[in-house]
Structure formats: C-alpha cells, structure tokens
Amino acid sequence: ADIERVARERVRICEVAGATAELVTAIDKLIAALLRAFGPAGVAVPSAAAPRNEAPDRATELRLHIVPLRRYQAQLLRREEPQRSWEVLQDALVLAPGESLLLGDLTDLAEELGRFEDLAELVASWQAIEGDPNRGLVLSIRRADALLRGGRRDEAKALRASLDATAPGFIVLTPA
C-alpha cells in the first residue's frame, strides 16, 4: 500500500512539474506497484464482463486502473515516440481485449504510422464488437480504405462490392 501511494505521488509530482519523460517512467513504476500488490500470478485476461450489480473482482479492478494508465502513457509518448506509444497500447489491449477506446487509439495511431495492414485488422476487430449498424458501416469503409492503402486491392474491392450490395445508395469515397 505504501509503495503504491508513493508511486501515485510520484506521478502527481511529475504531472505538476510537466516532466513528460519522468511521468512516463513514474506511470511504469505505478503499474509495477499495482501488479506487485496483486501477486505473482499477474492479471487474468477477462473472459466475460461481470454483471453490473456485482462489484468487480480484484483482477477486473486492477485492469480498470492499468488500462487508463497505459492510455495516458501512450498519449504522452505519441508525439515523440510513436512506436513506443504503439507498444504501450498493445500491452493495454492484452489486458482488455476488444476495448473500443483502445481500438480507437490504436487505429488512429496505426494510420499516423502508416501501418495499414494493422489498421485493417484493428478496424475488423472493432467492427466485430460494434453493436451500432451505422457505425459498423463507417468502420467497413475505413477498413476498405486501409486495405487499399496497404496494397490489398482485391480485398478492398470485394469489401466495397459487399458495401454496395448491403448499403445501396451509400457512396463509398475511397480511391479506385
């Protein structure tokens, strides 16, 4: 408990000081303290969401702390060290597979980094969990664009054809 408290205070001090590199390190130390408090088994990857009326178990509670910390860390790293930001977000996605905020962050970063193969896969993952059909359509268009930009022209054309069939009259604006 004391190690975690000290680590949280270190994060707060680095935030106030505006020391980005030190803040990234302080977040790593806070996460390490949280994991150490959890035990040697580490964090279990979720298999299903807990019912809303039940308090989360310790592993879920820990994930709820670590994932936002990793997202914050990735934001801090994004401009100066985008590849490291990518790795931090990938680590967070292991803890929270299918988390739409992480998928959104990763898709934006994949596009910035020109990782169009990864972008197409991430958008497909996001699309698989998306409940809103309109949002799913937008994600399909984004995936078609990523496939085209990644050089997978035939797959992109097939996806565009399927979009034309399922949403006639909806104009897909991607390069030919």
Side-chain angles (χ1 to χ4, degrees), residues 103-126:
L103 290 170
D105 290 345
L106 279 164
T107 56
D108 291 344
L109 189 54
E111 192 159 17
E112 286 174 24
L113 294 172
R115 297 177 74 141
F116 299 114
E117 292 283 325
D118 291 324
L119 177 60
E121 289 179 32
L122 287 164
V123 172
S125 297
W126 193 355

Side-chain angles (χ1 to χ4, degrees), residues 88-141:
V88 166
L89 288 171
Q90 288 289 335
D91 289 346
L93 194 61
V94 169
L95 291 175
E99 171 57 50
S100 59
L101 289 173
L102 290 172
L103 290 170
D105 290 345
L106 279 164
T107 56
D108 291 344
L109 189 54
E111 192 159 17
E112 286 174 24
L113 294 172
R115 297 177 74 141
F116 299 114
E117 292 283 325
D118 291 324
L119 177 60
E121 289 179 32
L122 287 164
V123 172
S125 297
W126 193 355
Q127 193 176 8
I129 62 168
E130 182 58 55
D132 179 7
N134 292 327
R135 181 76 179 140
L137 182 62
V138 170
L139 289 170
S140 289
I141 294 167

Side-chain angles (χ1 to χ4, degrees), residues 111 116 140-150 156 173-175:
E111 192 159 17
F116 299 114
S140 289
I141 294 167
R142 191 167 183 191
R143 182 161 185 255
D145 181 54
L147 289 168
L148 273 173
R149 292 165 75 187
L173 298 175
T174 57

